[in-house]
């Protein structure tokens, strides 16, 4: 479960998140929509622990524990996962090596045994098949030379292997064609479970046709300005973000 | 009128002059060789130790850095050589051992058919003019006072000849062992002549044998015949604080030949590696790669002169540095395309990661092009670790130190992986991992 309470965040002199509060229950899929510059990605980065942001006040509770004092790796070990809008290329690190290193690093932080190689391979095979990731891709350097769709699928594959209790998907649909959106969405839907919450950040309602959210929040000017169900996304598809433009200008 | 500055002779220069005057009668080689030595020493004496006003030595001012010239190590005795047997037992087959610069055939492994090895001293005494010409390596680009000093004082080395067309399956190792009980200096010059169409790999390895400091001035000359395929690696991983290693590598590449070289420098006291590569014949390919991993106050300088003197040759120069602590890295690469060397394809890249706030990198790639139908490019980057990459890895659960180590390993490992050969990649990857582990350990110690 994720609870964001009265979060105020700045970068330099500029305040980006403004007394933002949000709660996502276990098993819930919450979507955040909003215009460019409303602070959606900042929220994702702050929850994941990126350092360049200054948290002025507020709390981010993951399963009841405030994670703002924790480093990104400690948050990951507590069960947090961020799928990046632009997954980073890591030249020289074979994807398979990276997956194993990441999985075992989290297990170690949690005081668990490393996975045996056969067990690891079994899990990789299963996740790879679900996301149409060919074994050849796993031998290549992580995300290097991958297409946009391949990078996003690789991020979802990592999520499948790391089995987080809460996952944030930051504009996972951006730059993807219809087929790629469908494959990514299938991957996410396969990971839905009563104990796992999702926060899906997107500009476009299209993704929400494939991953049907329980709640939809509109973000503008660094705060949640409206909340509702899936029908809110459908409404935004028709009306756009015009009515929230004033909020953005006023607060950002 | 410009006043000519004649610097006074340093103590090291004076000691070298004395060592040459006193020792030259005992150095191997007949009249022609003695003349070469005299001329070479005169060239050294005129120029003196290279200093910052010599462009190619600007960042490694030997006149300042070499405070003293250590006494030249005497040739090892039979007993000393015998005492090494146990220490060298684990060396791979086909190892040619140089002890304090002197070739020790009795400790060297058997060689396959098509390969011969003799000592430099024997080659010089034999008076074979073509060998002496090869050993003189009198190229215009190789006008360098440290190389001249090496020619004057070369005590020994190994001459390897590979027959035309010979396909040598296992690599030939040239192993440098340091024996001297006291800190001493060594001057050796070796030559590998590879016949046309031959195929071989030469691996150079250093064995500290006790970790004594010293001064080494080595030269290795590779003459690659037409259409030969040659691999080469060099591991300079046994340096100690206070040690000085001056390495000259001279490579002539024949027509349609393929040459691929990799060097790893870690644990350097002071290392200056200078490479003079000459594409003599058309349509050859030559790649030079190197990784330098430095910390503390180590200093490693790699300076290249790559001359394309023939048409259609493809040259690649790719070097990486990781600099921690107060270390200093130097990369200078000069690619020269001679008039008429059309269709040259040359690329050079030097990338550096600076980890220590006090670390310094001096990077200077240069191109001199005298032909109009060529593709040439160079680049250099210098910076810290990528914050986005670190954050990405940390969000996947890697603690900051592990994320950093993974990125450093990848940065160096990318060039290692290009070696292609599974065994070599594993061996050099292990060296990189060992350096990273030692760095992590010292960081933990300093944090405590």
């Amino acid at each position: 479960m994720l609870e964001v309470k009265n979060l105020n965040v700045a970068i330099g002199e500029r305040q980006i998140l403004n007394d933002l509060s949000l709660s996502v229950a276990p098993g819930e899929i919450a979507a955040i929509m909003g215009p460019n510059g409303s602070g959606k990605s900042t929220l994702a980065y702050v929850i994941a622990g990126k350092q360049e942001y200054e948290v002025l006040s507020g709390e981010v509770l993951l399963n009841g524990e405030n994670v703002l004092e924790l480093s990104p790796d400690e948050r990951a070990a507590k069960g947090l996962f961020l799928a990046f809008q632009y997954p980073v290329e890591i030249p020289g690190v074979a994807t398979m090596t990276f997956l194993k290193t990441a999985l075992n690093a989290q297990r170690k932080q949690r005081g668990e045994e490393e996975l045996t190689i056969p067990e690891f391979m079994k899990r990789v095979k299963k996740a790879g098949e679900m996301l149409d990731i060919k074994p050849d891709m796993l031998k290549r350097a992580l995300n290097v030379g991958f297409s946009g769709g391949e990078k996003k699928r690789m991020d979802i594959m990592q999520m499948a292997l790391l089995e987080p209790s809460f996952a944030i998907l930051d504009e996972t649909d951006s730059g993807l064609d219809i087929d790629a959106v469908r494959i990514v969405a299938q991957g996410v839907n396969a990971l839905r479970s009563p104990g796992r919450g999702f926060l899906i950040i997107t500009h476009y309602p299209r993704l929400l046709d494939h991953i049907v959210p329980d709640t939809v929040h509109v973000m503008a000017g660094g705060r949640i300005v409206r909340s509702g169900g899936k029908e809110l996304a459908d409404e935004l598809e028709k009306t756009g973000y015009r009515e929230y433009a004033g909020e953005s200008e006023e607060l950002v | 009128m410009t006043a000519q500055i004649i610097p006074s002779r340093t103590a090291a220069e004076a000691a070298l002059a004395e060592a040459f005057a006193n020792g030259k009668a005992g150095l191997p080689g007949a009249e022609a060789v003695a003349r070469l030595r005299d001329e070479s020493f005169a060239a050294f004496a005129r120029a003196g130790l290279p200093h910052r006003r010599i462009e190619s030595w600007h960042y490694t001012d030997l006149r300042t850095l070499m405070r003293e010239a250590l006494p030249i190590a005497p040739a090892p005795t039979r007993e000393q050589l015998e005492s090494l047997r146990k220490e060298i037992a684990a060396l791979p087959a086909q190892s040619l051992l140089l002890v304090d610069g002197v070739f020790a055939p009795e400790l060297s492994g058997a060689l396959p058919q098509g390969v011969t090895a003799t000592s430099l001293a024997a080659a010089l005494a034999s008076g074979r003019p073509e060998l002496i010409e090869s050993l003189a390596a009198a190229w215009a680009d190789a006008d360098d006072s440290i190389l001249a000093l090496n020619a004057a004082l070369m005590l020994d080395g190994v001459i390897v000849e590979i027959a035309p067309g010979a396909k040598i399956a296992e690599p030939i190792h040239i192993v440098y062992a340091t024996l001297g009980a006291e800190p001493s200096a060594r001057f050796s010059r070796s030559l590998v002549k590879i016949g046309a169409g031959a195929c071989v790999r030469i691996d150079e390895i250093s064995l500290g044998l006790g970790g004594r400091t010293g001064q080494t001035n080595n030269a290795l000359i590779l003459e690659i015949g037409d259409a030969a395929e040659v691999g080469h690696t060099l591991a300079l991983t046994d340096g100690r604080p206070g040690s000085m290693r001056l390495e000259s590598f001279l490579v002539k590449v024949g027509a349609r030949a393929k040459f691929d070289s990799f060097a790893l420098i870690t644990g350097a006291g002071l290392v200056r590696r200078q490479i003079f590569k000459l594409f003599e014949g058309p349509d050859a390919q030559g790649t030079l790669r190197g990784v330098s991993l430095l910390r503390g106050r180590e200093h490693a300088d790699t300076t290249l002169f790559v001359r394309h003197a023939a048409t259609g040759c493809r040259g690649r120069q790719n070097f990486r540095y990781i600099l921690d602590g107060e270390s200093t890295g130097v990369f200078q690469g000069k690619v020269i395309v001679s008039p008429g060397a059309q269709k040259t394809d040359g690329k050079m890249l030097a990338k550096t990661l600076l980890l220590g706030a006090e670390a310094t990198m001096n990077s200077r790639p240069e191109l001199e092009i005298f032909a109009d139908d060529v593709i040439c490019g160079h680049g250099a980057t210098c910076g810290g670790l990528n914050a986005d990459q670190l954050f990405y890895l940390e969000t996947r659960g890697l603690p900051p130190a592990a994320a950093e180590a993974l990125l450093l390993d990848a940065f160096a490992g990318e060039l290692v992986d290009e070696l292609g050969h599974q065994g070599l990649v594993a061996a050099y990857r292990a060296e990189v991992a060992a350096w990273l582990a030692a760095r992590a350990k010292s960081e933990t110690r300093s944090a405590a």
Side-chain angles (χ1 to χ4, degrees):
Chain A
M1 165 158 197
L2 182 83
E3 289 173 279
V4 180
K5 291 183 178 173
N6 306 103
L7 190 61
N8 286 284
V9 170
I11 185 161
E13 295 291 303
R14 188 164 168 246
Q15 184 158 346
I16 299 178
L17 299 186
N18 203 309
D19 214 30
L20 186 141
S21 294
L22 175 73
S23 179
V24 185
E28 179 182 335
I29 292 193
I32 288 195
M33 304 182 70
N36 290 325
S38 56
K40 304 186 298 294
S41 288
T42 296
L43 175 63
Y45 283 144
V46 170
I47 295 172
K50 199 168 190 185
Q51 279 186 349
E52 64 200 62
Y53 299 97
E54 187 188 357
V55 177
L56 304 170
S57 61
E59 284 182 324
V60 174
L61 305 175
L62 179 67
N63 303 322
E65 183 183 358
N66 189 359
V67 296
L68 286 178
E69 295 303 317
L70 301 179
S71 59
D73 58 301
E74 289 167 335
R75 298 181 198 200
K78 299 274 181 202
L80 187 69
F81 182 87
L82 170 64
F84 281 61
Q85 184 177 0
Y86 303 108
V88 179
E89 296 186 2
I90 315 274
V93 177
T95 301
M96 191 69 104
T97 308
F98 162 74
L99 293 174
K100 193 157 171 283
T101 308
L103 197 55
N104 283 330
Q106 291 204 12
R107 294 180 72 86
K108 193 177 166 191
Q109 285 236 20
R110 291 195 290 259
E112 298 165 9
E113 291 275 307
E114 285 196 359
L115 278 185
T116 62
I117 290 174
E119 178 58 27
F120 169 72
M121 295 305 291
K122 201 171 106 189
R123 293 186 188 194
V124 167
K125 189 166 178 277
K126 188 178 161 205
E129 281 170 0
M130 177 176 75
L131 289 151
D132 193 23
I133 288 172
K134 306 274 183 297
D136 178 53
M137 237 169 99
L138 301 173
K139 291 180 192 156
R140 287 156 57 191
L142 180 62
N143 291 331
V144 178
F146 287 19
S147 69
E150 286 173 333
K151 284 180 183 173
K152 299 292 173 78
R153 277 186 280 147
M154 181 51 65
D155 252 24
I156 303 302
M157 180 176 185
Q158 291 169 35
M159 182 167 78
L161 288 171
L162 296 170
E163 300 179 317
S165 62
F166 196 89
I168 304 168
L169 277 63
D170 185 12
E171 299 199 23
T172 291
D173 53 334
S174 70
L176 296 191
D177 62 34
I178 302 161
D179 295 329
V181 168
R182 195 160 45 233
I183 294 171
V184 166
Q186 277 168 6
V188 174
N189 287 330
L191 294 170
R192 288 182 89 148
S193 78
R196 180 174 294 141
F198 286 89
L199 185 62
I200 295 178
I201 294 171
T202 182
H203 278 299
Y204 305 107
R206 180 182 66 170
L207 179 66
L208 305 182
D209 291 336
H210 298 281
I211 306 171
V212 180
D214 300 301
T215 50
V216 174
H217 305 274
V218 181
M219 192 167 166
R223 65 165 69 133
I224 303 294
V225 294
R226 200 172 154 199
S227 299
K230 167 75 170 72
E231 70 288 349
L232 181 53
D234 300 332
E235 185 190 318
L236 287 170
E237 175 81 334
K238 294 188 191 96
T239 61
Y241 296 117
R242 247 174 324 181
E243 78 174 273
Y244 308 105
E247 300 261 1
S248 298
E249 282 162 19
E250 182 193 328
L251 293 165
V252 174
Chain B
M1 193 180 127
T2 311
Q4 194 189 354
I5 300 165
I6 303 172
S8 58
R9 216 155 57 161
T10 66
E13 287 164 349
L16 287 164
E18 197 184 326
F20 181 67
N22 294 340
K24 67 178 187 178
L27 292 168
E31 200 181 327
V33 180
R35 204 164 45 244
L36 169 70
R37 290 183 189 278
D38 280 335
E39 286 167 4
S40 299
F41 197 83
F44 168 74
R46 272 195 305 277
L49 285 168
H51 49 80
R52 64 188 174 82
R53 285 197 295 275
I54 307 288
E55 197 184 348
S56 61
W57 286 83
H58 183 74
Y59 303 106
T60 302
D61 186 344
L62 220 53
R63 204 176 142 80
T64 308
L65 293 167
M66 188 171 172
R67 299 246 171 90
E68 57 170 347
L70 295 173
I72 297 170
T77 63
R78 186 167 295 278
E79 291 73 34
Q80 283 175 318
L81 290 178
E82 282 306 315
S83 71
L84 290 179
R85 281 201 184 277
K86 211 167 138 189
E87 292 186 78
I88 61 165
L91 283 176
Q94 300 184 181
S95 286
L96 303 170
L97 196 70
L98 273 77
V99 181
D100 280 341
V102 177
F103 179 43
E106 61 273 46
L107 296 182
S108 298
L111 293 170
Q113 204 173 2
V115 184
T116 60
T118 50
S119 73
L120 172 89
L124 293 178
S126 75
R128 279 170 62 189
E130 80 285 3
L131 274 191
I132 292 167
E133 195 186 325
S134 292
L135 283 161
W139 316 347
D141 295 323
D143 179 15
D144 175 85
S145 67
I146 285 308
L147 197 51
L149 185 66
N150 178 278
L153 287 168
M154 53 186 172
L155 178 60
D156 200 15
V158 61
I159 313 294
V160 183
E161 292 179 88
I162 292 156
K167 309 288 181 208
I168 312 302
E170 294 299 318
I172 292 167
H173 300 86
I174 299 178
V175 183
Y176 304 98
T178 307
L179 184 73
E182 298 299 323
S184 57
R186 293 159 290 278
F187 293 84
S188 76
R189 180 168 287 218
S190 296
L191 167 69
V192 182
K193 275 175 94 82
I194 299 149
C199 185
V200 68
R201 199 177 85 219
I202 309 291
D203 292 335
E204 293 183 84
I205 306 168
S206 289
L207 292 179
L209 295 183
R212 284 168 286 267
T213 58
Q215 295 171 342
T216 303
N217 182 334
N218 265 345
L220 175 64
I221 302 158
L222 237 62
E223 285 191 359
I224 302 172
D226 293 350
E229 288 187 24
V230 179
H232 166 259
T233 66
L234 166 67
L236 289 181
T237 53
D238 68 335
R240 298 286 187 279
S243 68
M244 176 178 289
R245 184 133 185 179
L246 309 171
E247 288 282 333
S248 300
F249 185 37
L250 300 101
V251 190
K252 279 186 183 177
V253 188
R256 302 177 312 287
K258 287 182 184 164
F259 171 60
D260 190 296
S261 171
F262 173 84
L264 177 68
I265 300 174
T266 68
L270 173 100
V271 170
R272 156 80 173 200
R273 183 166 188 248
Q274 44 187 11
I275 305 174
F276 306 91
K277 185 168 77 169
L278 174 64
F279 285 106
E280 266 191 323
D283 304 318
Q285 296 177 27
T287 300
L288 299 172
R289 294 188 197 89
V291 172
S292 298
L293 310 175
L294 309 180
R295 56 201 185 99
R297 290 190 172 172
E298 294 169 348
H299 177 116
D301 171 340
T302 296
T303 294
L304 323 172
F305 298 85
V306 177
R307 181 175 289 276
H308 289 260
T311 56
C313 292
R314 183 178 186 271
R316 293 287 181 271
Q317 288 72 232
N318 205 344
F319 286 79
R320 292 196 179 179
Y321 293 73
I322 298 178
L323 307 181
D324 202 0
E326 298 166 55
S327 63
T328 303
V330 181
F331 175 79
Q332 300 183 100
K334 189 171 191 170
V335 176
I336 308 148
V337 182
S338 296
Q342 305 293 10
K343 307 288 181 195
T344 288
D345 174 0
K347 282 198 178 68
M348 178 159 58
L349 183 60
K351 290 169 100 171
T352 302
L353 284 179
L354 281 175
L355 303 180
E358 303 296 324
T360 306
M361 181 64 195
N362 304 286
S363 201
R364 190 170 62 185
E366 282 180 87
L367 286 172
E368 272 186 16
I369 303 174
F370 300 101
D372 57 8
D373 183 13
V374 303
I375 303 170
C376 283
H378 66 66
T381 65
C382 191
L385 281 167
N386 182 306
D388 288 337
Q389 291 178 338
L390 281 171
F391 177 62
Y392 187 80
L393 294 177
E394 288 171 31
T395 62
R396 299 309 185 243
L398 275 72
E404 186 178 297
L406 188 70
L407 291 180
L408 294 176
D409 185 54
F411 179 77
E414 249 193 318
L415 278 198
V416 174
D417 290 349
E418 288 179 17
L419 277 165
H421 183 282
Q422 215 176 354
L424 272 182
V425 169
Y428 276 102
R429 278 278 191 165
E431 290 280 357
V432 172
W435 186 83
L436 288 170
R439 174 179 177 265
K441 208 169 154 189
S442 77
E443 290 219 323
T444 313
R445 260 204 314 271
S446 52

